[in-house]
Structures are given as structure tokens and as C-alpha cells.
Amino acid sequence: MQSSQSFLARPFTERSTQLFLGILFAAMAVVTVLHLAVPEGSALYVSAYTITLLGKYLCYALLAVAVDLVWGYLGILSLGHGAFFALGGYAMGMYLMRQIGDRGVYGNPDLPDFMVFLNWQELPWYWQGFDMAWFAFIMVLLAPGILALVFGFLAFRSRVTGVYLSIITQALTFALMLAFFRNEMGFGGNNGLTDFKDILGFDLRTDATRMGLFLATGVALAIGYVICRIIVTSKLGRVSVACRDAEARTRFLGYRVERVQLFVFAVSAMLAGVAGALYVPQVGIINPSEFSPLFSIEIVVWVALGGRATLYGAVIGALLVNYAKTVFTGVMPDAWLFALGALFVLVTVFLPKGIAGLLPSLKKEPQDDDSTPPSTAKEVTA
């Protein structure tokens, strides 16, 4: 019992985790106070629009942490995590569509508006149960998790690695994008799911609900970060890093590399699904563009800019890049992609360890042998 308790408590003894959680919750508190206690005319007032924007950034930060878990610590460069993000978003979107009921344009209590428009006569079987919140929340985890398990089992068992695995993950998300664009799939086609009214009985258009979603997203980011730290500071994390640095040698030592890869990959996919589920009610829409391979590549850029294999670096990269995107797309929308590419090249050349490489003090913290990931498979047996 003592060992399991120390295993779960170990991340909270790290300076980096303490700083990350402290800064995150302090920022959430400041935003809440500036929205509720400051008059609207004040320069310090945080509007509901800004809160929604910040909530979206936090969703992207959680998604970046999920990608860093598999890329930074397992060595799997996934170019398809946008698919897991979108599946979680669609699961939440289906629940929100069922909550509309007869308040839709066509007034049908059972069928969403797009199904009525396309002359669907009854609700598809895979939409059943999404009128219940608990079922939808479970599917937010199961949909991306099962896909990751099936895909990972086939890929890792076949020992597909490196650039070939990256290409396959990209092909996966591209295939899903094409499938979800089809109207007969029953997910709204190219328009996707939108016109949501409420969530858990709360009106999505009110400032209080937007604030609640922002706070929920911040808490989810904190929980996701801690879960990842628990994994990477455990013996499983040591083996994961060994798989990343010397997979063949790790196999020779007797470790079931496929099982390690499959577990970490599935956890990462479920975290991405949670990010997608929190994203949808805040932006008000989910469509097949979230499956775009370009979006998955952009996620990798966030992690690379922030600092791979740090987790907090992924959060920094996601927040900075998406804030820059908001600014640049408003000032010079046609040049945004060029600015992103130039930023990626500059950081790669001058900051190979990302922005987190400028914060070495966070890495130099006293840890025991179980919490320090080895650089080679040899150290796993130490």
C-alpha cells in the first residue's frame, strides 16, 4: 500500500509539477476574478468571448500533452491524433444534438435537423443512448480509446515503426475525414454538428456556462498532466523511454514492448478525446475538418516548439502558437502559415530542445531511481 501511494504521489513532489499546477490554477483564478469582479468598462475586464477563447487554448494544451506523451516518451510520432480529438468531439456533439429535442428548426423531438433535412426516418442505432450524459461521457473515452487499441494492436504487433507508423496514422485520420464528410454516415456531412442549446441543463449561451466550461477545461488539463506525469515517472515510463531509445535491445531484455506501446498510446488517445469533448461546447461546432491531417501536423509543431518530452513544454507551445495564430490570422491571414513555418524553423535551428530548453532548472530536480527516465534500455535493469 505504501508503494502504491508513493507511486501516485510522486509527481506532486516534483518542482515542475508544483509550478505547473500552481501557475495553471492561479491563472484560472485571476481570469475568474477579472470576469466576475471587474466592471465591463474596465481595461482589466475579461469578456465572455475571451474566456471561451482561453478555454479553447486549454483544450489544445491538453491535446498537446497527449501527443507529447507518445512522441516524447514513447518515440511514436503520431500524425493522427486529430482523429482521436475529433472522435471525442463528435461523441460530445451527438449528446448536445440530442439535448436540442423539439427546439430544432424542424421541431422533431427525436431526429436532429440535418437528419430531417436528409429525410431520415429513424434515429440510427449508433445514436442510441446519447440522450444520456453518462453514456456520452463514457463514449468520449471509449471511442478514441477503442480505435487506438485496434489500430495500435495491428501496428505494434506488426512492428511498424518510424516514418512508416507516422504515415499510417496520417492515413487513418485522412480516411476518417473522408468518411465523416459523407452524409450517409449520419454525422452531419461537411456541415458537421452545430446549433447546440445546452449542456447538463445549462444554457450554452450564458456567461456562467462559458465560465464553467473554462474552469472544467483547466481542471481536465491539470488531471491529464498529472496522469501523464504518473506514467512517465513510473517504471512503465522507464520502459517507455527504453523503447524509444533502443527498442530492439528492450525486446532482448524480455520486455513486451507491444503492450507498453499499446497502453501508453491508448491513454494518450483518450486524453485527446477528452480535449475534443471539452472543445465542442465552447466553440459550438464539430465538423470533419477536425480530422484534417494538417491539424494533426500542427499539433506536432506545438509540441516541438514547446519542448518534446517535458509535458509542460507541450502546454507552452500550444498556448503560444494558438495565441499567435489568433493574432496573425486577424492581422495578415494569408501569411499565417508562413509565419508558423518560419517559427518552427527558427526554433528547430536555435532551440532544438524547444522553449522548455530555456528552463533547465525545472529539469534539475532531485528524484529517486524510479522517477528518472533512463536514456537507454541498459538502465532499465539497473
Side-chain angles (χ1 to χ4, degrees), residues 133-264:
W134 65 267
F135 179 84
F137 296 160
I138 290 176
M139 292 307 298
V140 164
L141 296 173
L142 284 185
I146 292 176
L147 177 62
L149 284 174
V150 173
F151 173 83
F153 175 77
L154 297 174
F156 303 144
R157 186 186 64 170
S158 303
R159 299 190 181 181
V160 180
T161 59
V163 66
Y164 301 104
L165 182 59
S166 299
I167 292 174
I168 293 176
T169 58
Q170 191 174 53
L172 171 67
T173 187
F174 186 69
L176 287 172
M177 182 184 70
L178 295 180
F180 274 71
F181 264 120
R182 300 173 64 89
N183 287 327
E184 55 268 30
M185 283 288 291
F187 295 106
N190 63 324
N191 293 321
L193 309 177
T194 188
D195 195 30
F196 309 129
K197 306 296 184 183
D198 51 48
I199 180 171
L200 298 175
F202 297 98
D203 190 347
L204 285 171
R205 292 165 293 186
T206 63
D207 293 351
T209 303
R210 294 183 181 183
M211 174 59 71
L213 288 169
F214 165 74
L215 295 176
T217 306
V219 172
L221 174 59
I223 294 174
Y225 182 89
V226 170
I227 290 174
C228 291
R229 290 305 305 172
I230 289 175
I231 291 175
V232 302
T233 58
S234 67
K235 291 183 179 180
L236 175 62
R238 292 168 61 86
V239 177
S240 298
V241 174
C243 295
R244 179 195 69 188
D245 295 339
E247 181 175 332
R249 192 172 184 179
T250 306
R251 292 182 189 277
F252 179 76
L253 291 173
Y255 289 95
R256 299 296 298 269
V257 172
E258 298 84 0
R259 294 183 180 180
V260 174
Q261 293 173 327
L262 190 60
F263 176 79
V264 177

Side-chain angles (χ1 to χ4, degrees), residues 19 56 69 80 84 110 161 184 194 299 319 325 333 337 348 357:
L19 283 175
K56 185 176 75 170
L69 179 63
F84 305 130
D110 299 319
T161 59
E184 55 268 30
T194 188
I299 302 169
L319 296 179
K325 183 177 182 178
L337 290 179
T348 302

Side-chain angles (χ1 to χ4, degrees), residues 82-113:
F84 305 130
F85 178 83
L87 286 177
Y90 266 97
M92 176 60 72
M94 293 166 72
Y95 163 73
L96 296 176
M97 291 296 290
R98 293 296 306 274
Q99 296 306 297
I100 296 176
D102 58 4
R103 291 175 294 172
V105 175
Y106 296 99
N108 192 304
D110 299 319
L111 299 180
D113 284 339

Side-chain angles (χ1 to χ4, degrees), residues 98 110-112 115 120-129:
R98 293 296 306 274
D110 299 319
L111 299 180
M115 290 187 181
W120 288 62
Q121 300 302 315
E122 60 181 5
L123 198 68
W125 63 268
Y126 46 84
W127 275 76
Q128 301 295 334

